[in-house]
Amino acid sequence: EVPNIMRALGFYPSELQIQDMINEVKFSQYVETGKTVTEIDLATLIKLYCNHRPVFGLPLYKVYDSFLTLAGADGQGQMDRGLLLSLLQNRGEHISEPELAEFLASLLDMYGSATNTEDKMAAVEPAEAGVTLETLLPEVLDADVFTEHILGFMPVTAVE
C-alpha cells in the first residue's frame, strides 16, 4: 500500500522508485536480524516520503512543455487520442493496456468514490474501460485539455 499512500500525498513515484522504496524497507533490518520487513510504521512511512519525494514538485509548465514536445514540432500543439494512449503505454516506463485504462479512469474520476480494487472493478467493467476511455477523451487533445481536464491542474496562464 506504500505506493498508494505516496500518491495520496501528491508524490507519484515511478515503478522503479516504488521498487527502491519497497527494497529499502524490506531489507532495512536484514543485516541485524536476517529477516525481511513486511510492515512499516508511521515514522518509517514519513521517512520514506521525505527521502524519496522531489524537494520541489514538477512545475506545471514542464508538463505543458513536455506535452507540446510529444505533440510534435508542427506548431499545432495537438495530439490524436490514439497517439497519446500509445505514447503513454509504450514510451518511458512500460504500462499495460489495463493499467493505462485504470490510471486514466482514476484521473477522469470514472470510479467515483471507489478506493479499493473490488469497488473500482464494480464501477467500470474491464472490458468496457477502453471503450469508456475513448468516449471520455476527446479525439484530439492539446496541452490545455491534457493538463487541465485530464491531470486536473489549474490553467497554465493562471499559475505563471
Side-chain angles (χ1 to χ4, degrees):
E1 293 298 318
V2 170
N4 292 333
I5 294 171
M6 294 294 174
R7 291 179 187 117
L9 293 170
F11 170 44
Y12 300 92
S14 68
E15 290 301 315
L16 179 62
Q17 290 171 312
I18 290 168
Q19 281 305 317
D20 288 345
M21 286 187 278
I22 290 171
N23 286 333
E24 180 179 326
V25 169
K26 186 176 182 178
F27 297 108
S28 63
Q29 301 296 316
Y30 191 78
V31 172
E32 293 90 16
T33 65
K35 296 179 182 178
T36 58
V37 176
T38 58
E39 295 180 356
I40 63 172
D41 58 11
L42 180 61
T44 305
L45 178 68
I46 292 170
K47 182 176 105 177
L48 279 174
Y49 177 74
C50 291
N51 289 340
H52 289 273
R53 71 169 173 83
V55 176
F56 302 106
L58 183 64
L60 180 57
Y61 75 87
K62 287 193 175 198
V63 175
Y64 196 88
D65 289 346
S66 296
F67 183 91
L68 294 175
T69 299
L70 289 173
D74 63 1
Q76 300 275 336
Q78 297 181 332
M79 186 183 313
D80 175 79
R81 173 182 58 218
L83 175 61
L84 174 65
L85 295 175
S86 175
L87 289 171
L88 289 172
Q89 191 173 354
N90 298 309
R91 296 287 175 122
E93 191 171 324
H94 175 76
I95 57 175
S96 67
E97 188 171 343
E99 288 173 321
L100 177 60
E102 181 182 348
F103 298 152
L104 287 174
S106 291
L107 285 170
L108 296 169
D109 201 28
M110 290 171 54
Y111 294 134
S113 62
T115 56
N116 63 37
T117 303
E118 292 81 19
D119 291 343
K120 288 178 181 180
M121 291 175 73
V124 178
E125 292 296 322
E128 297 175 10
V131 173
T132 305
L133 287 174
E134 287 194 5
T135 61
L136 289 175
L137 291 174
E139 216 170 296
V140 176
L141 297 100
D142 61 16
D144 291 326
V145 169
F146 183 72
T147 56
E148 295 171 31
H149 300 289
I150 296 175
L151 298 179
F153 293 137
M154 292 174 34
V156 172
T157 55
V159 296
E160 289 185 317

